[in-house]
Amino acid sequence: MCKDCGCSLTRHDHDHLGAHSHVDSHDHSHDNGHSHDHSHSHEHGASHNSLHSHSELHTNPQLNDKKTLSVIHKILDKNDVEAGHNRAHFEAHNITAFNIMSSPGSGKTTLLENLKEYTKLNYAVIEGDLETSRDADRLIAKGITAYQIQTGSACHLDAFMVHGALHHLPLEGLDICFVENVGNLVCPASYDVGTHKNIVLLSVPEGDDKIEKYPVMFRRADVVFITKCDLLPYFDFKLDEARAQLKKLNPATQIIEVSIKDGDSMQAVAAWLKDNIRGAQ
């Protein structure tokens, strides 16, 4: 997470999911080349008061600053417009886009590396990390088309970053584009990047308590993959408790237990994707 993120700000017309004061300056060139100039400015509020509702962050002085909130809402509105543009771009190429979110180290890239063996669907990946192109390099080494976004200090991807990446991917013939968001259980859930579905990973070593401690992302999930299930004998992770927590937060979400060492579970992932691409019956 970036050191000065403002994601504790509440935005009532965004389902109380919070917002960042995140200022982006983008320079687009759509000729032979494509360039982006991203500058980010974050404003941070204070901590959550457990005595009040999650949507009433009374300790955050910015909640009473109408000018600050107005700026934030305008930024989010611009992001939403760009997200709509991205979705239309995917749909024009008959591509279904999935936003993959989780904490760092839950197995997002590893899942995508191994998925190739279990599906005939063609997919590409937009990778998001603060620095390095390691994840994109790993996928490319497996023969998977990937493009890396380096966010610098930004703790999430936004629609403008994804828009820029689209101009570096060959979209013809793709069935799926995965957007592998920055590893962070909080901020990515607050930004629409123009995908159609949200996939959230929760790994066994993280513990089942993460669901209730970081509920925003799990409320947004269309499916939750509980990963690294081969490690269940070695960790105090209660699957029944995790399922109950997830269904309490988000009754509509699907839950799939996954291990890359278990072919049947990977087949279940591939089947879910096939059932959830655009046009699937």
Side-chain angles (χ1 to χ4, degrees):
M1 188 184 302
C2 65
K3 64 182 180 180
D4 49 1
C5 174
C7 59
S8 59
L9 289 170
T10 303
R11 188 185 185 199
H12 294 284
D13 58 343
H14 272 243
D15 298 323
H16 301 284
L17 290 175
H20 291 64
S21 173
H22 182 127
V23 179
D24 292 285
S25 173
H26 297 269
D27 178 26
H28 294 268
S29 173
H30 294 273
D31 297 325
N32 292 329
H34 187 88
S35 63
H36 285 262
D37 177 25
H38 297 276
S39 63
H40 302 271
S41 174
H42 295 261
E43 296 294 329
H44 186 60
S47 62
H48 185 105
N49 187 336
S50 61
L51 297 177
H52 297 277
S53 165
H54 72 276
S55 64
E56 297 175 345
L57 306 180
H58 297 293
T59 58
N60 191 333
Q62 292 185 10
L63 291 178
N64 298 316
D65 183 348
K66 293 182 179 180
K67 184 176 181 180
T68 299
L69 289 174
S70 176
V71 170
I72 292 168
H73 293 172
K74 287 179 181 178
I75 292 167
L76 285 172
D77 288 342
K78 289 181 179 179
N79 181 82
D80 290 347
V81 170
E82 190 74 356
H85 171 74
N86 291 347
R87 249 185 305 276
H89 199 63
F90 285 125
E91 290 164 7
H93 291 82
N94 200 30
I95 294 170
T96 304
F98 296 92
N99 188 8
I100 303 184
M101 301 178 287
S102 75
S103 62
S106 63
K108 297 186 295 296
T109 307
T110 301
L111 182 76
L112 294 174
E113 280 181 315
N114 287 271
L115 179 63
K116 194 170 186 283
E117 301 176 21
Y118 297 93
T119 183
K120 294 182 180 179
L121 296 170
N122 294 320
Y123 63 90
V125 183
I126 295 172
E127 283 283 351
D129 278 306
L130 272 67
E131 298 289 347
T132 83
S133 61
R134 289 184 181 181
D135 286 354
D137 292 342
R138 283 172 55 184
L139 295 170
I140 291 169
K142 293 281 189 177
I144 300 165
T145 300
Y147 180 78
Q148 184 76 50
I149 298 173
Q150 296 177 6
T151 66
S153 62
C155 55
H156 58 85
L157 296 178
D158 63 27
F160 293 94
M161 297 177 193
V162 172
H163 171 78
L166 289 179
H167 291 269
H168 296 275
L169 288 177
L171 300 180
E172 296 300 328
L174 289 180
D175 300 300
I176 291 173
C177 182
F178 292 106
V179 177
E180 184 181 332
N181 222 305
V182 178
N184 181 347
L185 270 179
V186 183
C187 314
S190 296
Y191 275 77
D192 184 359
V193 294
T195 49
H196 298 97
K197 300 269 186 177
N198 291 326
I199 298 172
V200 176
L201 273 60
L202 173 69
S203 68
V204 166
E206 293 174 73
D208 51 56
D209 62 331
K210 298 301 181 292
I211 299 164
E212 289 187 332
K213 289 170 68 175
Y214 300 93
V216 173
M217 186 169 290
F218 294 103
R219 288 194 185 103
R220 283 285 184 91
D222 293 289
V223 65
V224 174
F225 296 151
I226 300 177
T227 59
K228 305 186 183 183
C229 281
D230 52 300
L231 297 178
L232 279 169
Y234 310 103
F235 288 88
D236 186 20
F237 187 102
K238 300 177 180 65
L239 276 174
D240 289 344
E241 179 65 20
R243 285 179 169 274
Q245 290 178 30
L246 287 167
K247 286 299 183 180
K248 180 180 178 182
L249 284 172
N250 184 353
T253 192
Q254 293 183 256
I255 304 166
I256 301 176
E257 298 166 24
V258 181
S259 167
I260 61 165
K261 297 180 180 180
D262 178 2
D264 289 342
S265 71
M266 291 298 294
Q267 291 285 5
V269 170
W272 185 89
L273 291 168
K274 184 177 180 181
D275 289 343
N276 285 273
I277 59 174
R278 295 179 66 249
Q281 300 297 320

